[in-house]
Amino acid sequence: MNFFICLILGFCIAALGSITPSFLNLTVVKYSLKNGKKSTFYLIAGYATVLFFQANLGAYLANILMKNSEYITLIQKIGTGILFLLSINFFRIYFTPKKEVKEKEIPKSKSYFYGILMSLLNMMAIPFYFTFISLLIGFKYFEYNMFNAFYFSIGSTIGSFTLYTIYAIVAKNIEHKLTYIATKMDFILGCLTGIVGIGNVIYLFTK
């Protein structure tokens, strides 16, 4: 039973992270339209391979934090500062005129390895898993150990692979909508990180 709980939790959290428009699923959509679904599945497999280890690392770091609660306030202060810096950076990117960048051709034979490389460049994955697993541990929905982290990572791999596969299959129908949303993502992320940062400041001063 514990295996299925960890698997489902991993699947749901990874699906939640993968459904948000990002350069990863935008690449999946464009690559699917250009090279077909079969080659895109190799690209997605590269994503999922890295996400397996990122989920495992996020779970480990969350466990370390929860065991050393005396550092939580310090980490919250550092995290709040980082959130404000991220917010400023997202707004800077959004309001800076963008130069047209020529898209790089990705050879079909190297799809899997490009998937790995692009997933490694996704710096939000580990903090994403770290945050959600910390919440799960805090609410006692998840107990960290090597096996649970492994089951969770399997679930997250299946979840991310499933969502990205859906993007590849329906690519033709969602390309323009996804591209439009993606152009607004920097502004949305700037607002979200700013709001969370302000919320953290209020929490730190009132607790």
Side-chain angles (χ1 to χ4, degrees):
M1 182 62 75
N2 198 50
F3 167 75
F4 289 107
I5 291 172
C6 294
L7 202 70
I8 292 168
L9 287 172
F11 182 95
C12 292
I13 290 174
L16 180 66
S18 302
I19 202 170
T20 308
S22 67
F23 77 94
L24 291 180
N25 42 36
L26 271 172
T27 302
V28 166
V29 169
K30 291 178 180 178
Y31 195 77
S32 179
L33 291 169
K34 192 170 186 179
N35 298 302
K37 296 179 180 63
K38 185 176 179 181
S39 296
T40 308
F41 292 153
Y42 287 102
L43 183 79
I44 295 168
Y47 289 178
T49 300
V50 175
L51 283 166
F52 173 86
F53 294 102
Q54 289 174 329
N56 228 314
L57 181 57
Y60 175 75
L61 293 174
N63 178 59
I64 295 296
L65 173 64
M66 300 306 285
K67 282 184 176 178
N68 297 276
S69 57
E70 66 271 17
Y71 297 117
I72 290 179
T73 301
L74 176 61
I75 292 171
Q76 284 177 327
K77 290 178 180 177
I78 295 171
T80 301
I82 292 171
L83 282 170
F84 281 121
L85 289 174
L86 284 172
S87 181
I88 292 167
N89 187 55
F90 284 130
F91 284 127
R92 180 190 63 80
I93 294 170
Y94 179 75
F95 288 108
T96 300
K98 294 173 179 61
K99 295 179 182 178
E100 192 172 336
V101 180
K102 188 177 179 181
E103 291 184 11
K104 189 177 179 181
E105 182 74 23
I106 302 175
K108 290 184 181 181
S109 60
K110 297 181 179 178
S111 299
Y112 177 74
F113 298 104
Y114 270 93
I116 289 176
L117 177 62
M118 293 182 71
S119 196
L120 285 170
L121 294 173
N122 180 24
M123 302 303 293
M124 294 300 291
I126 295 173
F128 174 82
Y129 282 114
F130 168 80
T131 301
F132 274 90
I133 295 170
S134 295
L135 289 171
L136 291 174
I137 293 173
F139 287 115
K140 301 190 185 301
Y141 289 126
F142 182 82
E143 183 181 349
Y144 179 86
N145 59 53
M146 186 176 66
F147 292 107
N148 284 353
F150 180 72
Y151 302 149
F152 180 92
S153 298
I154 291 175
S156 69
T157 304
I158 296 171
S160 58
F161 190 92
T162 301
L163 262 292
Y164 288 130
T165 298
I166 292 172
Y167 272 111
I169 293 170
V170 300
K172 194 173 182 179
N173 299 322
I174 65 169
E175 181 190 13
H176 297 300
K177 292 179 182 178
L178 192 65
T179 302
Y180 174 76
I181 294 171
T183 60
K184 307 295 181 184
M185 277 309 292
D186 290 320
F187 181 78
I188 294 168
L189 289 170
C191 291
L192 288 174
T193 50
I195 290 168
V196 174
I198 292 168
N200 279 356
V201 169
I202 295 170
Y203 172 77
L204 289 168
F205 277 99
T206 57
K207 72 173 184 176

